[in-house]
Amino acid sequence: VGPYVLITPNETRRNQLQQIAKKELNDLERWKEEHRPGPIKLVPQRLGGKESEAQARQKQQMMLMQSKYQQKHKREEYVKAKKAAEEAEIQKKKAIQREKAERLEVKKRQQEMQRREMFHEDQYYKTNELLNRLDLGLPKSDSCQIANRGPESTAWSRSHTYKQALREDKTRRLEEMKQEQRRKAELMEFKQKQEEEARTRAHQNEQRRVNNAFLDRLQNKTQPNSVYQPSYSGSLDYLSNGAWVS
């Protein structure tokens, strides 16, 4: 251990500091005693309204019960609205997929028609070519016999008849396809209208059922106390947007 210096404490300075601290503590206690708040004096007066305490408590209990039912009804409405939104989203996705499938079906049908038209055109050209070769292969010296056979027995008449039959068949197929598309569009519109009406009726029935259950529960809760008895009859359309009407 190295050398060190021991400094003795200054007793006078210590005593002075202790006296100053003691004096400050005494001053603080004296100030607290002087500024202590006095007793509160209020003039007695009558509180409350015209109702008795029992009536006020019954009214408070009724308001609390109605508030609980309203909160429960709001939660049910929120869950129902959420389910309806999810169902609408699912129906929207289904409609998009259905539309895509219909477009794909129309595209396939158009491609099939194009292939048929190309086939008929190719068949028509080949038939014309065959008829032309047959027409060129007839003996030219036997013009009297050709004239006696009539216009329908010539190659030109056969070609003309075949072309007309092709045109009529093509026109008939196009008309049938248009009628089929029109029938499908009318059937789809009718189905959509029926689904919309069914959803509307289901929503109205569910809302009517919830309102009836709410009123029944409220009447069962309030009837024993004879404090509040709701009177209702007939339709429940006055309970709109989940609001309580007394």
Side-chain angles (χ1 to χ4, degrees):
V1 180
Y4 62 91
V5 177
L6 179 63
I7 300 175
T8 57
N10 191 349
E11 295 293 336
T12 304
R13 179 62 177 169
R14 179 185 295 176
N15 293 332
Q16 290 177 356
L17 292 175
Q18 288 179 353
Q19 290 177 1
I20 292 171
K22 186 176 181 181
K23 184 176 179 300
E24 289 178 353
L25 289 174
N26 293 332
D27 293 339
L28 179 61
E29 292 295 333
R30 186 168 56 254
W31 183 88
K32 287 181 179 181
E33 188 68 24
E34 290 176 357
H35 292 81
R36 178 180 296 177
I40 299 175
K41 296 181 180 180
L42 296 176
V43 179
Q45 55 183 354
R46 185 180 181 84
L47 300 178
K50 297 180 180 180
E51 297 179 351
S52 63
E53 183 179 359
Q55 293 177 352
R57 291 192 179 278
Q58 287 181 355
K59 185 176 180 180
Q60 184 180 10
Q61 185 179 4
M62 179 62 63
M63 292 176 63
L64 180 62
M65 185 171 58
Q66 290 180 0
S67 176
K68 288 181 179 179
Y69 278 115
Q70 288 178 359
Q71 290 178 1
K72 184 178 180 181
H73 186 66
K74 287 182 180 179
R75 286 196 298 270
E76 292 177 354
E77 289 293 331
Y78 172 75
V79 172
K80 190 188 299 180
K82 187 176 180 181
K83 289 183 179 179
E86 292 177 354
E87 184 67 22
E89 186 68 21
I90 292 173
Q91 293 296 331
K92 183 178 178 180
K93 291 180 179 179
K94 287 183 179 180
I96 292 173
Q97 294 298 328
R98 193 181 302 112
E99 186 178 357
K100 288 182 179 179
E102 290 175 356
R103 286 201 300 265
L104 183 61
E105 185 67 23
V106 172
K107 186 176 179 181
K108 288 181 179 179
R109 195 177 297 112
Q110 290 177 354
Q111 291 177 355
E112 183 66 23
M113 287 181 60
Q114 290 177 0
R115 284 195 295 269
R116 289 182 180 179
E117 289 177 358
M118 291 176 63
F119 172 74
H120 287 302
E121 289 179 0
D122 185 62
Q123 188 178 9
Y124 167 72
Y125 289 140
K126 289 183 178 180
T127 306
N128 265 344
E129 185 180 357
L130 178 61
L131 292 175
N132 290 331
R133 286 201 302 269
L134 291 175
D135 194 11
L136 292 175
L138 290 175
K140 296 182 180 179
S141 60
D142 198 4
S143 57
C144 295
Q145 294 179 1
I146 294 175
N148 292 330
R149 289 179 183 175
E152 295 180 359
S153 61
T154 61
W156 181 86
S157 64
R158 291 195 301 271
S159 175
H160 180 71
T161 305
Y162 180 72
K163 291 178 183 178
Q164 187 176 2
L166 286 179
R167 284 196 298 269
E168 291 177 356
D169 185 59
K170 183 178 179 180
T171 305
R172 181 179 56 80
R173 287 199 306 272
L174 290 176
E175 188 64 26
E176 288 178 356
M177 290 187 64
K178 288 181 181 179
Q179 292 179 1
E180 184 181 357
Q181 291 296 329
R182 194 180 299 111
R183 285 196 300 271
K184 286 185 178 180
E186 292 176 356
L187 182 60
M188 185 177 298
E189 184 179 359
F190 179 71
K191 287 183 178 179
Q192 289 179 355
K193 188 180 295 184
Q194 282 186 340
E195 291 177 357
E196 184 66 25
E197 291 177 356
R199 283 196 296 269
T200 303
R201 287 195 299 270
H203 178 70
Q204 291 177 355
N205 293 333
E206 182 65 19
Q207 187 175 7
R208 190 176 293 108
R209 185 188 64 79
V210 172
N211 291 335
N212 283 330
F214 172 70
L215 290 175
D216 291 339
R217 290 195 301 268
L218 186 59
Q219 185 180 13
N220 292 331
K221 290 291 185 180
T222 57
Q223 193 170 5
N225 295 328
S226 299
V227 177
Y228 179 80
Q229 294 182 357
S231 62
Y232 60 94
S233 63
S235 176
L236 295 175
D237 294 336
Y238 64 92
L239 286 178
S240 59
N241 298 326
W244 170 257
V245 180
S246 61

